[in-house]
DNA sequence: GCCAACGTTGGC
DNA sequence: GCCAACGTTGGC
C-alpha cells in the first residue's frame, strides 16, 4: 500500500552509512523484479501530450525496456496524528521545517509503484508536499530531492510500523530518498481546487486531465509532467477558489 | 465515521 | 492464473 511517509523526528538524514546493501546475495535477487516492471510507466490511456516532457532513460542492462524518467513529483504526507501500530505517523510541513536542515528521509513507502518512482527521483528535482487524510487536503509546499534512493532502514526495524520481515539486508526491498524544504507555496492549494481543474481539463484537454492524484488516487508518490507542475504552480498566483 | 477505490493475498 | 475476500487509503 502506498504508505504515507513517516519521518521520525530523528532528523535522520543522509550521512549515516548505508548498510551493505550493495552486496547482493543470490537467493533473493529476483524477488521484486516483476514489481519493478509493472509500475513506473504512464497510465495506459494517457495521451502522449500529457507525457511529452518525460524523457526516456536508456536501460543500462541492454535495452530490454526503456523506462521513463520523470521530472517532478507529488509527495503525500499526513499532517494530523494517526496511530499505526501504536506509532504516530503524523508528518506535516511544519514537522519538515523543524528537522535539521529542514531535511528528512522519506521512509515508510511500501508500495512497489511508489517505490519505483522513488528510485527514479534525481537530485535537485522538485516535488509538491501534499497534506493528505486531513481536514484540508492539498498542496502546502515545495521540496526538493537532496539524496537519491537508498535503502529504507525502517524495513529492518521490528519496532517500526513499516517493518518488513520479508526483506533481507543483502537485498532490501524498500528505498527512500531525502527531501529538503524549499518554500511554502504562496497559498494553500486545496485538493478541491485542483480537482475542479482536473475535471475541466478532462473535457477540454487541459494540462491536468491525466493528473495521477485523480487517476491513481491511492498512490503516495506521484510523478507530474512539466505541464502539470507548471499549471499547479500557476494556481498559487490566483485567487483562491 | 463512512465507504468507494483499489492493491494484496490466498484458495482453488 | 482467476478472482473473492480482505485490508488500506484517503476524501468527504
Amino acid at each position: 500500500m502506498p504508505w504515507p511517509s513517516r519521518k521520525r523526528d530523528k532528523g535522520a538524514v543522509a550521512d549515516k552509512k548505508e548498510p551493505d546493501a550493495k552486496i547482493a546475495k543470490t537467493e533473493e535477487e529476483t524477488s521484486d523484479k516483476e514489481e519493478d516492471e509493472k509500475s513506473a510507466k504512464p497510465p495506459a490511456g494517457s495521451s502522449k501530450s500529457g507525457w511529452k516532457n518525460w524523457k526516456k532513460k536508456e536501460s543500462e542492462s541492454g535495452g530490454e525496456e526503456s523506462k521513463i524518467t520523470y521530472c517532478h513529483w507529488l509527495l503525500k504526507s499526513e499532517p494530523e496524528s494517526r496511530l499505526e501500530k501504536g506509532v504516530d505517523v503524523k508528518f506535516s510541513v511544519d514537522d519538515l521545517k523543524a528537522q535539521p536542515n529542514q531535511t528528512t528521509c522519506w521512509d515508510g513507502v511500501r508500495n512497489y509503484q511508489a517505490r519505483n518512482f522513488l528510485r527514479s527521483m534525481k537530485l535537485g528535482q522538485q516535488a509538491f508536499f501534499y497534506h493528505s487524510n486531513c481536514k484540508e487536503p492539498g498542496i502546502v509546499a515545495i521540496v526538493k530531492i537532496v539524496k537519491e534512493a537508498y535503502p529504507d532502514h525502517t524495513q529492518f526495524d521490528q519496532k517500526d510500523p513499516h517493518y518488513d520481515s520479508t526483506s533481507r539486508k543483502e537485498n532490501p526491498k524498500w528505498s527512500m530518498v531525502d527531501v529538503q524544504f524549499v518554500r511554502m507555496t504562496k497559498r494553500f492549494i486545496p485538493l478541491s481546487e485542483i480537482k475542479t481543474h482536473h475535471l475541466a481539463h478532462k473535457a477540454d484537454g487541459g494540462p491536468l486531465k491525466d493528473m495521477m492524484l485523480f487517476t491513481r488516487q491511492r498512490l503516495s508518490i506521484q510523478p507530474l509532467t512539466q505541464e502539470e507542475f507548471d499549471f499547479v504552480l500557476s494556481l498559487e498566483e490566483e485567487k483562491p477558489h
Side-chain angles (χ1 to χ4, degrees):
Chain A
M1 12 294 8
W3 296 101
S5 48
R6 187 132 317 57
K7 290 90 260 299
R8 81 230 107 265
D9 8 44
K10 263 357 292 230
V13 185
D15 317 274
K16 44 186 52 166
K17 300 283 75 74
E18 264 101 274
D20 14 58
K22 281 343 185 36
I23 319 146
K25 284 297 183 38
T26 46
E27 342 91 69
E28 290 237 328
E29 86 261 46
T30 61
S31 62
D32 48 4
K33 158 166 36 134
E34 68 282 11
E35 297 88 348
D36 282 337
E37 303 309 316
K38 70 173 48 159
S39 27
K41 42 178 78 162
S46 63
S47 79
K48 56 197 73 79
S49 72
W51 307 92
K52 74 168 166 212
N53 280 318
W54 297 14
K55 293 154 289 185
K56 299 287 193 176
K57 150 182 145 195
E58 45 289 298
S59 159
E60 65 278 61
S61 43
E64 59 271 306
E65 181 197 10
S66 60
K67 294 188 177 174
I68 293 179
T69 299
Y70 308 91
C71 309
H72 301 284
W73 309 95
L74 181 146
L75 309 179
K76 296 182 183 177
S77 192
E78 300 190 32
E80 296 175 4
S81 285
R82 184 172 66 83
L83 293 188
E84 217 173 272
K85 299 182 179 160
V87 178
D88 192 353
V89 298
K90 163 188 186 302
F91 193 78
S92 68
V93 69
D94 288 335
D95 295 320
L96 172 63
K97 288 161 77 175
Q99 299 296 314
N101 292 325
Q102 300 185 316
T103 299
T104 191
C105 56
W106 207 265
D107 62 310
V109 172
R110 297 293 183 269
N111 167 283
Y112 285 112
Q113 187 173 21
R115 180 202 69 180
N116 293 343
F117 285 139
L118 277 179
R119 289 181 175 178
S120 67
M121 291 177 175
K122 299 301 180 200
L123 264 186
Q125 289 182 338
Q126 292 197 311
F128 290 127
F129 190 103
Y130 176 92
H131 279 172
S132 70
N133 202 15
C134 58
K135 276 300 159 45
E136 295 196 294
I139 292 167
V140 294
I142 295 172
V143 300
K144 68 178 177 186
I145 309 307
V146 294
K147 180 173 177 151
E148 294 180 3
Y150 61 108
D152 177 349
H153 56 87
T154 66
Q155 68 197 297
F156 305 118
D157 178 0
Q158 298 203 24
K159 274 140 304 195
D160 191 277
H162 306 306
Y163 171 65
D164 183 353
S165 64
T166 70
S167 184
R168 310 297 176 87
K169 287 229 170 106
E170 306 78 36
N171 186 18
K173 279 188 182 173
W174 306 111
S175 300
M176 62 186 180
V177 298
D178 289 350
V179 307
Q180 183 175 38
F181 178 79
V182 173
R183 66 172 175 87
M184 299 298 287
T185 49
K186 292 177 185 171
R187 66 176 177 89
F188 173 68
I189 303 174
L191 172 65
S192 58
E193 186 177 330
I194 304 170
K195 187 179 201 169
T196 298
H197 289 291
H198 165 68
L199 291 173
H201 290 183
K202 276 210 299 186
D204 68 13
L208 299 193
K209 66 182 189 314
D210 296 321
M211 193 174 183
M212 280 206 196
L213 248 194
F214 310 101
T215 63
R216 295 286 156 85
Q217 64 176 207
R218 291 175 49 181
L219 195 58
S220 65
I221 306 281
Q222 309 187 354
L224 283 79
T225 64
Q226 186 72 52
E227 287 88 350
E228 288 167 343
F229 186 84
D230 290 344
F231 184 87
V232 172
L233 205 52
S234 76
L235 296 177
E236 68 177 354
E237 308 290 350
E238 307 200 338
K239 289 286 150 39
H241 268 220

